[in-house]
Amino acid sequence: MKRYSLLDLAPVAEGHGVDEALANCVSLAVAAEQAGYHRYWVAEHHNMIGIASSATVVLIGQIAAATKEMRVGAGGIMLPNHAPLMVAEQFGTLSLMHNGRIDLGLGRAPGTDMATARALRRHMQQGDTFPHDVQELIAYLGDVPEGAPVRAIPGMGTHVPVWILGSSLYGAQLAAHFGLPYAFASHFAPDMLEEALHVYRTTFQPSETLAEPYAVMAASVCAAESDEEAAYLRTSQLQAFANIVTNNRGKLPKPSLEAVANMPYPVRAQVDRMLNCAAVGGSETLAMQISALIARYQPDELMVTGMIYDQTARIRSFEIAAEVMRGL
């Protein structure tokens, strides 16, 4: 493993506002840079009361302004929601304003429900235009001929690094075909991780962007001073995923061992399956679990994420995780 990074969904906690969630995201990014994280990504989601990162580009700009050297970017931008030209202009602007520290991860899903997707005012086309849109976007960020009828200004010539994100074989195949770096969403959909990494690595075609495959896997992490404390803090995330399973989405719940103990078995089983790619505990336990993940999947980079109710505990969790990963 070459690097370790962090994915943040800007969770909105029960009893707290979206403004606090956004401020927490920026303060966590500052702490992450101090802890040695290589990159810090935020994800695009819409119409979710417990996630504050919907205006992803704006949030990336705030994080980049508050940090100095760490790479900052999208994990990711849901391209079906946007015109490729506008994405190129936005990320070209960010790159020029922040010394080329910006990453652009692209997802194929809308990042929301279909009603909200329609409200985003993109045409609900029947065909899959994602591969074409990716190529169009990369072209806008590249060296555009002087007489080109359409140019991204800012954007052209910035060569903002483009990543393909995915949770199935589709993204792996596309990233390999285009010769792009690939990030797998194993922090919530780990079922096809092993197969997707195999497909990506064995079918990768070198490009001007990348000579060899570069794969990132994501893992849910909850660390604390003891295994017991970490297990307690993680109950917030377990409840949040149970609410997704039961279609009862809301803000990030307070930690509660009792609430988790009372989960219906089918719900808990599905939550455990979604969060199977995880490391939970104190430093020693975390080191063993992260080492096992790295040994099995051999990622070039591990991207950790985690939803903890208390901001101080959340920052400390990622600090402990960084200490562990530095020592591996």
Side-chain angles (χ1 to χ4, degrees), residues 2 41 75 100 111 116 176 214 228 242 246 253 297 316:
K2 301 179 178 71
W41 282 1
T116 308
Y214 191 93
E228 293 76 17
T246 58
Y297 299 107
R316 183 57 186 146

Side-chain angles (χ1 to χ4, degrees), residues 12 17-18 36-37 39 45 49 59 79 100 109 114 122 142 147 152 158 162 196 207-208 256 272 290 297 315 326:
V12 184
V18 173
Y37 284 91
R39 71 181 91 244
H45 292 282
I49 194 169
L59 189 53
L79 197 52
M114 293 310 295
R122 286 284 278 158
T158 57
V162 172
S207 66
E208 294 181 2
S256 170
D272 287 344
I290 291 178
Y297 299 107
I315 290 175
R326 274 200 305 273

Side-chain angles (χ1 to χ4, degrees), residues 74-87:
I77 290 295
M78 300 298 106
L79 197 52
N81 300 337
H82 309 278
L85 176 60
M86 294 187 69
V87 176

Side-chain angles (χ1 to χ4, degrees), residues 30-51:
V30 172
E33 182 169 60
Q34 294 172 348
Y37 284 91
H38 176 65
R39 71 181 91 244
Y40 191 103
W41 282 1
V42 291
E44 177 186 351
H45 292 282
H46 298 280
N47 195 28
M48 296 185 182
I49 194 169
I51 295 178

Side-chain angles (χ1 to χ4, degrees), residues 4 12 16 18 53 59 63 67 75 81 144 152 157 169 173 185 194 204 212 216 246 261-262 276 300 319:
Y4 57 92
V12 184
H16 298 272
V18 173
S53 55
L59 189 53
I63 294 168
T67 54
N81 300 337
V144 181
L169 300 185
Q173 294 166 337
E194 200 155 20
F204 182 84
E212 298 178 344
V216 172
T246 58
N262 291 331
N276 184 48
D300 296 293
E319 287 174 343

Side-chain angles (χ1 to χ4, degrees), residues 29-185:
V30 172
E33 182 169 60
Q34 294 172 348
Y37 284 91
H38 176 65
R39 71 181 91 244
Y40 191 103
W41 282 1
V42 291
E44 177 186 351
H45 292 282
H46 298 280
N47 195 28
M48 296 185 182
I49 194 169
I51 295 178
S53 55
S54 56
T56 317
V57 174
V58 179
L59 189 53
I60 289 170
Q62 292 295 106
I63 294 168
T67 54
K68 297 177 180 178
E69 297 181 358
M70 181 174 63
R71 298 197 63 82
V72 181
I77 290 295
M78 300 298 106
L79 197 52
N81 300 337
H82 309 278
L85 176 60
M86 294 187 69
V87 176
E89 291 169 342
Q90 292 164 352
F91 277 81
T93 300
L94 287 170
S95 182
L96 291 169
M97 293 181 71
H98 299 290
N99 301 316
R101 292 191 290 126
I102 303 300
D103 295 328
L104 173 52
L106 299 175
R108 178 172 168 239
T112 186
D113 57 87
M114 293 310 295
T116 308
R118 293 187 183 92
L120 291 168
R121 302 183 187 278
R122 286 284 278 158
H123 295 295
M124 308 300 291
Q125 298 173 346
Q126 294 298 316
D128 182 8
T129 64
F130 185 69
H132 176 270
D133 289 347
V134 171
Q135 288 181 299
E136 181 182 348
L137 176 51
I138 292 173
Y140 286 136
L141 294 169
D143 296 321
V144 181
E146 183 73 25
V150 179
R151 293 175 290 172
I153 305 172
M156 64 177 185
T158 57
H159 300 279
V160 175
V162 172
W163 295 64
I164 299 297
L165 314 183
S167 58
S168 68
L169 300 185
Y170 181 95
Q173 294 166 337
L174 192 68
H177 178 73
F178 286 155
L180 296 174
Y182 177 57
F184 192 90

